[in-house]
Amino acid sequence: MARATCLLALLGVLGRAAPLNNSSSSSVKVSWIGDAPSQNLGTTFGLPWPQGKYRPGEVDFQISDGQNPLPLQSWVTGYWRDGSIKWSAHAIPRTDKVADEYTIEATPVSKRNHNRERKRPNQTTKLSVKDGSKEVTVDTGKITVSFPKQGRYLVSSIKTSGGKTVGKDGRLVLYSQDGVPETADDRADAKIERYKFESKIEEVTVSKNDGKDNNNNDSVRALVTVRGNHTAIAKGSSSSAHGDWLPFVVRFYLYADSDAIRLVHSITFDGRYDRDFISGLGIQFRVPLGGEELYNRHVRLAGTDGGFLNEAVKGITGLRRDPGAAVRTAQIEGKALPAESTWDTRVSSRLRWIPAWNDYRLSQLSPDGFTLKKRTKAGQSWVKIPGGTRAGGLAYLGGATRGGLAVALRDFWKRYPTGLDVSGAASDDEGQITLWLYSPEAEPLDLRPYHDGMGQDTYEKQLDALEITYEDYEGGFDTPYGIARTSEVFLFAFEATPPSDELAERNALAQVPPALAASPGYIRETKALGSYWALPENDDDGNAAASSSSSPGARARAKIETNLDFLVRHYQKEVEARRWYGFLDHGDVMHTYDADRHQWRYDVGGYAWDNSELSPDLFVWQYFLRTGRADVYRFAEALTRHTGEVDSYHIGDWKGLGTRHGVAHWADSAKQARISQPQYRKYFFYLSGGDERTGELLEHTLDADKTYGILDPQRKVRTDGWKPSPGAPVTFGLGTDWAALAAGWLIEWERRGPRWEEARRKLEGTAAGIAALRNGFVTGSGSYVIENGTLLPPPADPANEGVVAISHLNAVFGMPEVVSELLEYWGDEAPAGFRAAWLDYAYYYGATAEEQRARYGAAFSGVSLRQAHSRLAAYYAVAAGPEYNATVAARAWDAFRTGDGIPESQEFVSTRVQGSAVLHPVDEAAWLATNDFAQYGLASIQNLAYIGDSLED
Ligand SMILES: *[C@@H]1O[C@H](CO)[C@@H](O)[C@H](O)[C@H]1NC(C)=O
Ligand SMILES: *[C@@H]1O[C@H](CO)[C@@H](O)[C@H](O)[C@H]1NC(C)=O
Ligand SMILES: *[C@@H]1O[C@H](CO)[C@@H](O)[C@H](O)[C@H]1NC(C)=O
Ligand SMILES: *[C@@H]1O[C@H](CO)[C@@H](O)[C@H](O)[C@H]1NC(C)=O
Ligand SMILES: *[C@@H]1O[C@H](CO)[C@@H](O)[C@H](O)[C@H]1NC(C)=O
């Protein structure tokens, strides 16, 4: 019975379902990931659709909060092969009420009913965008924001609907120096040049989503993208001594009816690591304060747990004489004080003797503590203010009558060293807020290699060193040139100083921006993110592999679920216990544990930062897909933001490649496509409604194939004498290399991006090439012709007589996900023989040596990660024949239980270690490494989805 349910679902899984009814309306619910937020300031989300359901331009989307329709802006982010909508993106404006869930209704539109009466939302949006020759202006109805098209200011003004300008002259600031003192002593002698830079705008564009593929003309969201460089600000009369550098792209998201602006700020490091030390990186706004009495000006700085430092620039509380309770209360509440004439004259006559506090500084130089201080003006000493552990990351400056501006950085303390400066609060006309993404109070960002090479000047020596530290070193390859980092910032405009409770609420939204998603069951049904995962058993949402808890194997399946839960919780706890935080590091995890030191091997070559080794990104995203858990989503999001930016190159010769795991994220000499694997970005990209920065990272990987013409990933171990030369056919692996390229091409095709036809041609050419190889995927590598996108036999076997070469790594960097999605995408248009080639690989990897010999003439050598590969056999069991192959399913579970990986006997527990053996008490799972975290996770999820019913207790 259970088996029958499973089979029916799986037939659907593998693309043999009946065609969908594409003429009907349907409705889909989305709900907040985690708890509903206290406010909705406007949001964007993605929604998948089954193949053939709706075509762009032939469907009308509407959204309702359960009672009333809301304004909705809709566009398409992904298409099925037949041109039907695979992913739509939707934006809703700020709303007064926050519903727990929303219903999106899709209605086919034909010419006949095109002009039919629609349910109009009560709320009409007033969002207007003017794209002029000199500036872009966006009016949300609550704020009007101007973005100049040239010059230094990204934002020239932020004006409230009440007509108050609360922010202006928004620019980026950067400090750098050409050296760092090596000792405290050196500081006195070192001749170090210091530079200051500010933003120089090169391009400003406005999103073209508005109205495209959208029959609903409500414009809900505006996206303004500003690109440029940091340009030196001349010192005195001398001209700038440093060229433009550190290119940036800042995306501003504004929603109808909202006073908030979300910024996605990205930089790419294009400096020299030994000459360009970043010593401060910030975003600065001026806040007009002219005409506001000093006692009506307010500074608010977020502390810990929703707390705030609440101060007036000129405080009238705690004085020797009392101005009166009404006066004190007004100041504490941030309201305009009663007329001075009503105060106790013993105070009002002596206001000039009360110091005004001009400057405030909050510095979060470690994830464990922040300091605070203030001063009356430059030249006077700072006065310490009691600090705390982890600052909230928001600063407000403004007046009780003039209004003000709040600036918040997401993950403020996790991104240390960060800071918030308020300056000029007591000046005549305007103060200033600077948000430091990298605090100038900290030591400069040091991107130099962490060792000098230790004489590893030949491949032989480098390979020998790899034997001991597992680091794959090569001089010149340990460069950060081309890595990037993205930060998320929020701006809030206020007509008057808001209550600090309101600021706390806003900051909670900035720290964990609310996100909407469809249910796991619905996403699964559409197959828009593949068919290789299913919901946990007994999930109410309906599950392909669902069966009652008393069914055979239920206990074993429940045990796997418990184990998966342990894994994701343990890693979240390790982030905190091991302080995996920092401007560049936040989001990543470590690779392997050192049980002797009770410490991750943060300092041992190839065992340190994980850089997506064996695909933890895929595990956490698929785990989110099947559970919908908010903690998992946030963990996955931070991981994606890190690995896509810091671990990959975005400019230069290696653009599109990533760096293998190591002590520094860019240290290792293995620059590979498997690390920048676009599949790692795909889940977040579509779920977020096409996050534009992630979309740009996906574009960067489209040129990864060109790198093979100048850089051979196999250069240190190649024995066939092949050498790359630009333009000539290149060789690459059919596992990690091709799977990464194919993922990028498939996504470009799905998105119908500017290069989608080229991408499809390359996909078809290489897949047909693999199919034409005598041994298909088992050939191991092929010769790729960049110009025509075809794949020929490898240089070692030009006549295609059949090479037998597999690697345990081929299928653990996204290949199973990419190939199964690709086969579903192609349907019956897949290049002939390609599906069979994949099924062969899936079957024979884990087959006996005799079977391998019978099929290929040789047994495979180098088979390992058998637990990880059990999911290939599971796929084969459901996909190969017209019928479920129980023999292969049983073999898959056997490999899962007894293969190398995490042994079945392993108890998923951690052990407390405390006392002098550790820096501070930790709960360690010394048996666990990230390779196993990722691959046990993926094998579990996919085996449960494909062959869950054949698991025996
Ligand atoms: C599709 O759905 C519509 C509305 O529910 C129904 O009238 C129609 O008969 C269906 N068509 C097919 C082919 O199932
Ligand atoms: C929206 O309009 C509908 C119908 O006109 C009305 O019943 C409903 O109360 C309105 N809702 C709000 C929030 O004004
Ligand atoms: C930054 O400047 C460099 C060198 O002048 C230029 O090539 C690049 O296009 C600029 N980047 C941006 C984002 O404008
Ligand atoms: C692609 O180019 C290669 C090398 O020039 C050639 O051998 C092959 O026939 C070409 N294939 C197609 C489909 O044009
Ligand atoms: C299962 O697959 C194996 C390997 O291809 C095959 O020999 C066997 O006949 C299949 N069994 C069924 C029931 O299809």
Side-chain angles (χ1 to χ4, degrees):
M1 179 63 208
R3 171 64 41 75
T5 319
C6 174
L7 278 177
L8 278 177
L10 282 163
L11 289 176
V13 164
L14 298 166
R16 289 176 216 133
L20 283 140
N21 185 337
N22 63 1
S23 64
S24 59
S25 301
S26 56
S27 65
V28 182
K29 285 190 165 42
V30 291
S31 56
W32 300 103
I33 296 172
D35 296 335
S38 59
Q39 302 183 26
N40 161 41
L41 301 173
T43 192
T44 302
F45 59 92
L47 208 54
W49 301 95
Q51 181 164 8
K53 186 93 174 162
Y54 298 116
R55 293 193 159 269
E58 296 175 7
V59 60
D60 182 32
F61 296 105
Q62 292 183 58
I63 192 166
S64 145
D65 64 4
Q67 273 147 5
N68 300 305
L70 302 174
L72 183 70
Q73 184 177 329
S74 306
W75 62 101
V76 179
T77 50
Y79 301 82
W80 291 96
R81 176 173 53 89
D82 63 6
S84 60
I85 299 173
K86 188 168 187 182
W87 283 93
S88 56
H90 305 273
I92 57 170
R94 191 199 71 85
T95 52
D96 290 331
K97 285 186 302 186
V98 182
D100 286 337
E101 60 176 29
Y102 298 85
T103 305
I104 292 86
E105 201 182 313
T107 315
V109 285
S110 62
K111 284 200 179 68
R112 247 181 311 117
N113 66 3
H114 207 285
N115 296 320
R116 87 205 143 82
E117 203 53 33
R118 301 183 54 223
K119 278 179 277 173
R120 299 300 310 184
N122 300 25
Q123 183 178 348
T124 53
T125 79
K126 297 175 212 78
L127 187 81
S128 88
V129 180
K130 285 202 197 79
D131 188 1
S133 60
K134 293 219 167 63
E135 63 175 13
V136 173
T137 307
V138 179
D139 180 354
T140 69
K142 286 284 183 351
I143 50 173
T144 303
V145 187
S146 299
F147 303 91
K149 290 200 163 169
Q150 55 181 348
R152 69 189 59 161
Y153 300 126
L154 282 71
V155 172
S156 55
S157 70
I158 304 172
K159 198 186 269 186
T160 65
S161 56
K164 297 170 184 169
T165 299
V166 296
K168 55 185 258 204
D169 301 349
R171 60 171 189 155
L172 308 182
V173 287
L174 166 69
Y175 304 126
S176 79
Q177 54 192 59
D178 66 1
V180 283
E182 297 294 343
T183 64
D185 238 26
D186 267 2
R187 287 182 202 176
D189 327 321
K191 286 195 181 50
I192 293 174
E193 280 290 337
R194 289 163 205 275
Y195 304 94
K196 59 178 179 178
F197 305 84
E198 63 179 357
S199 36
K200 183 177 88 184
I201 291 159
E202 315 217 1
E203 188 194 49
V204 178
T205 53
V206 186
S207 159
K208 296 287 181 287
N209 292 333
D210 309 67
K212 187 188 166 194
D213 297 321
N214 178 12
N215 301 305
N216 174 345
N217 288 318
D218 293 322
S219 189
V220 166
R221 182 184 98 161
L223 163 59
V224 179
T225 305
V226 183
R227 287 171 199 276
N229 276 296
H230 292 81
T231 196
I233 305 173
K235 291 184 213 158
S237 57
S238 75
S239 62
S240 60
H242 192 299
D244 293 356
W245 71 301
L246 208 72
F248 66 83
V249 45
V250 182
R251 295 180 166 83
F252 294 85
Y253 294 86
L254 297 96
Y255 289 87
D257 216 25
S258 176
D259 58 14
I261 309 171
R262 175 168 171 261
L263 277 69
V264 178
H265 169 286
S266 308
I267 48 153
T268 304
F269 185 80
D270 64 343
R272 298 152 300 174
Y273 59 68
D274 57 346
R275 308 281 294 162
D276 295 303
F277 296 85
I278 292 174
S279 48
L281 177 68
I283 306 176
Q284 201 166 65
F285 283 89
R286 292 198 174 113
V287 179
L289 294 167
E292 191 83 284
E293 295 290 353
L294 295 178
Y295 50 69
N296 280 335
R297 298 184 186 184
H298 301 111
V299 173
R300 304 284 184 260
L301 286 163
T304 60
D305 304 319
F308 271 85
L309 177 81
N310 301 293
E311 298 221 336
V313 168
K314 182 170 284 203
I316 50 77
T317 63
L319 299 169
R320 188 166 185 189
R321 310 292 170 212
D322 180 6
V327 182
R328 282 185 285 113
T329 306
Q331 188 173 64
I332 292 300
E333 290 177 351
K335 297 191 178 129
L337 270 47
E340 278 174 40
S341 58
T342 67
W343 306 13
D344 187 323
T345 55
R346 288 174 300 170
V347 177
S348 53
S349 64
R350 297 189 174 95
L351 280 173
R352 65 185 182 284
W353 307 125
I354 303 174
W357 299 99
N358 197 54
D359 305 325
Y360 283 74
R361 174 164 296 164
L362 184 154
S363 301
Q364 181 88 49
L365 304 187
S366 98
D368 294 306
F370 67 88
T371 53
L372 264 175
K373 56 188 181 180
K374 65 181 181 181
R375 67 179 179 187
T376 54
K377 63 178 179 194
Q380 309 300 140
S381 78
W382 290 90
V383 172
K384 282 190 293 177
I385 307 173
T389 51
R390 293 168 167 181
L394 177 144
Y396 167 87
L397 173 65
T401 66
R402 286 215 48 129
L405 184 72
V407 181
L409 171 65
R410 183 177 186 188
D411 294 322
F412 182 77
W413 58 265
K414 297 177 186 171
R415 293 291 190 106
Y416 82 95
T418 49
L420 284 161
D421 272 8
V422 169
S423 57
S427 67
D428 288 345
D429 49 350
E430 57 194 21
Q432 189 165 278
I433 300 179
T434 309
L435 164 65
W436 295 109
L437 306 174
Y438 196 94
S439 169
E441 303 287 296
E443 288 183 343
L445 181 63
D446 191 342
L447 304 178
R448 293 175 298 177
Y450 76 97
H451 67 65
D452 65 4
M454 300 178 287
Q456 298 178 48
D457 49 14
T458 63
Y459 284 168
E460 196 189 0
K461 290 179 192 169
Q462 291 159 19
L463 292 170
D464 195 48
L466 178 73
E467 283 300 316
I468 186 72
T469 62
Y470 202 36
E471 179 173 69
D472 188 354
Y473 175 83
E474 187 173 345
F477 282 72
D478 43 0
T479 174
Y481 180 87
I483 66 164
R485 193 47 160 154
T486 286
S487 309
E488 290 177 73
V489 175
F490 285 77
L491 304 176
F492 303 110
F494 295 98
E495 300 274 2
T497 297
S500 291
D501 278 353
E502 171 68 16
L503 287 174
E505 232 177 64
R506 294 298 184 100
N507 195 37
L509 303 172
Q511 295 309 313
V512 188
L516 286 164
S519 70
Y522 174 75
I523 298 173
R524 177 67 186 72
E525 219 173 86
T526 65
K527 302 189 212 168
L529 287 173
S531 303
Y532 39 79
W533 56 278
L535 273 57
E537 192 164 12
N538 298 328
D539 197 296
D540 292 341
D541 217 332
N543 171 14
S547 51
S548 82
S549 55
S550 60
S551 66
R555 229 163 359 102
R557 288 189 293 275
K559 180 80 175 83
I560 293 174
E561 294 294 348
T562 312
N563 291 346
L564 295 179
D565 178 66
F566 173 89
L567 292 178
V568 296
R569 283 185 204 280
H570 182 70
Y571 269 73
Q572 290 179 61
K573 282 195 248 163
E574 286 297 88
V575 169
E576 168 62 10
R578 312 294 177 164
R579 300 297 192 273
W580 290 336
Y581 300 123
F583 175 64
L584 292 178
D585 298 335
H586 174 234
D588 208 351
V589 298
M590 290 264 166
H591 182 285
T592 302
Y593 199 68
D594 178 350
D596 294 317
R597 281 189 292 169
H598 307 289
Q599 170 77 275
W600 289 81
R601 303 184 196 176
Y602 70 95
D603 56 350
V604 185
Y607 293 112
W609 288 115
D610 193 65
N611 286 26
S612 297
E613 186 68 359
L614 301 202
S615 309
D617 313 60
L618 294 180
F619 168 45
V620 291
W621 278 116
Q622 289 171 35
Y623 194 65
F624 166 73
L625 288 176
R626 63 201 297 275
T627 60
R629 267 169 58 175
D631 61 325
V632 181
Y633 181 84
R634 301 301 174 183
F635 183 83
E637 191 185 11
L639 184 63
T640 299
R641 284 268 186 232
H642 170 90
T643 59
E645 303 274 0
V646 183
D647 299 348
S648 302
Y649 291 111
H650 307 277
I651 52 170
D653 288 348
W654 303 331
K655 178 180 171 182
L657 299 181
T659 298
R660 176 181 176 268
H661 41 107
V663 171
H665 300 283
W666 52 87
D668 203 272
S669 74
K671 307 299 181 190
Q672 303 204 335
R674 72 183 207 216
I675 308 300
S676 52
Q677 167 60 282
Q679 189 74 17
Y680 299 163
R681 255 50 83 198
K682 185 173 193 172
Y683 307 91
F684 178 65
F685 174 73
Y686 285 124
L687 291 168
S688 64
D691 173 78
E692 282 72 13
R693 173 59 181 173
T694 307
E696 185 171 41
L697 299 179
L698 290 166
E699 284 160 26
H700 293 165
T701 63
L702 283 174
D703 287 317
D705 61 349
K706 295 200 183 77
T707 65
Y708 291 86
I710 51 169
L711 182 68
D712 174 19
Q714 300 298 315
R715 63 193 178 282
K716 292 187 190 172
V717 292
R718 186 175 290 289
T719 53
D720 60 10
W722 181 83
K723 281 206 165 41
S725 80
V730 302
T731 73
F732 61 54
L734 302 183
T736 54
D737 296 319
W738 179 79
L741 297 172
W745 292 330
L746 175 58
I747 296 168
E748 180 69 3
W749 182 9
E750 283 178 342
R751 293 171 70 187
R752 300 297 190 269
R755 294 170 68 180
W756 76 270
E757 283 165 305
E758 169 198 340
R760 183 177 67 175
R761 183 161 41 78
K762 288 176 173 176
L763 255 182
E764 286 172 352
T766 53
I770 292 169
L773 293 173
R774 187 181 169 91
N775 289 344
F777 280 101
V778 174
T779 311
S781 64
S783 187
Y784 169 68
V785 189
I786 293 188
E787 312 92 79
N788 63 19
T790 55
L791 190 94
L792 307 168
D797 180 25
N800 195 19
E801 284 163 5
V803 171
V804 178
I806 55 97
S807 160
H808 62 302
L809 295 184
N810 283 349
V812 291
F813 285 86
M815 187 142 85
E817 288 81 3
V818 173
V819 176
S820 69
E821 284 192 36
L822 188 50
L823 284 169
E824 287 186 353
Y825 201 75
W826 265 324
D828 45 22
E829 284 184 15
F834 178 71
R835 186 168 174 276
W838 176 240
L839 286 169
D840 269 356
Y841 192 83
Y843 180 78
Y844 284 100
Y845 186 92
T848 62
E850 297 82 75
E851 285 177 292
Q852 291 166 352
R853 265 193 294 273
R855 169 71 177 79
Y856 295 105
F860 296 176
S861 66
V863 170
S864 65
L865 298 177
R866 289 183 58 241
Q867 180 176 69
H869 283 78
S870 63
R871 71 188 193 277
L872 271 64
Y875 175 82
Y876 182 94
V878 294
E883 275 168 36
Y884 185 82
N885 193 319
T887 316
V888 178
R891 207 188 71 198
W893 279 122
D894 183 57
F896 178 79
R897 290 177 135 155
T898 64
D900 49 342
I902 302 179
E904 198 177 22
S905 57
Q906 179 63 52
E907 292 267 5
F908 282 58
V909 289
S910 55
T911 314
R912 189 79 171 166
V913 183
Q914 50 198 1
S916 64
V918 282
L919 188 62
H920 50 74
V922 293
D923 293 314
E924 74 172 16
W927 51 273
L928 183 59
T930 303
N931 282 353
D932 295 327
F933 163 80
Q935 288 296 317
Y936 175 92
L938 287 165
S940 299
I941 289 174
Q942 297 177 16
N943 289 347
L944 288 173
Y946 290 134
I947 55 168
D949 280 10
S950 333
L951 180 60
E952 284 165 15
D953 283 323

